Amino acid sequence: MRESKFQAKLIKDIKERLPDCIVLKNDPTYLQGIPDLTVFNNDKWATLEVKKSANASHQPNQDYYVELMDHMSFSRFVYPENRDAVFSDLIDYLED
């Protein structure tokens, strides 16, 4: 599955589960390495870096920003192989 198709399906699933949330697609040219998506729900936020597979390469700074933002809030790499676990953790975090 192409990354863009996986990302679009993930956004749709998040919005279906959290209908009042806001999902933003971040501009990769603005700050290199910032995760692809930011999700806002009530007073919480999370970021997701979407990959087409578990072994897809990481761009410079992606690991840094995912780890940094996970300490601030919630941030993960998500790909088809871990999608269900990350989705469940994301929903648990944002609904809590």
Side-chain angles (χ1 to χ4, degrees), residues 8-46:
K9 173 78 168 102
L10 183 62
I11 292 169
K12 180 178 179 254
D13 291 345
I14 293 168
K15 288 182 176 184
E16 283 179 2
R17 184 64 190 268
L18 301 170
D20 295 329
C21 78
I22 298 169
V23 179
L24 298 179
K25 291 175 72 170
N26 298 316
D27 180 356
T29 64
Y30 178 69
L31 187 57
Q32 192 271 328
I34 289 293
D36 296 318
L37 304 175
T38 303
V39 183
F40 299 95
N41 192 58
N42 297 319
D43 61 344
K44 294 187 178 177
W45 60 274

Side-chain angles (χ1 to χ4, degrees), residues 5-82:
K5 190 171 187 170
F6 176 60
Q7 184 181 89
K9 173 78 168 102
L10 183 62
I11 292 169
K12 180 178 179 254
D13 291 345
I14 293 168
K15 288 182 176 184
E16 283 179 2
R17 184 64 190 268
L18 301 170
D20 295 329
C21 78
I22 298 169
V23 179
L24 298 179
K25 291 175 72 170
N26 298 316
D27 180 356
T29 64
Y30 178 69
L31 187 57
Q32 192 271 328
I34 289 293
D36 296 318
L37 304 175
T38 303
V39 183
F40 299 95
N41 192 58
N42 297 319
D43 61 344
K44 294 187 178 177
W45 60 274
T47 62
L48 298 170
E49 175 57 40
V50 181
K51 296 291 184 186
K52 66 180 177 180
S53 70
N55 59 0
S57 64
H58 293 196
Q59 299 299 314
N61 297 327
Q62 285 181 331
D63 294 287
Y64 170 77
Y65 282 116
V66 168
E67 185 175 332
L68 176 68
M69 292 181 176
D70 193 44
H71 287 7
M72 294 175 174
S73 183
F74 178 100
S75 188
R76 300 286 189 279
F77 285 92
V78 61
Y79 34 85
E81 297 91 335
N82 75 349

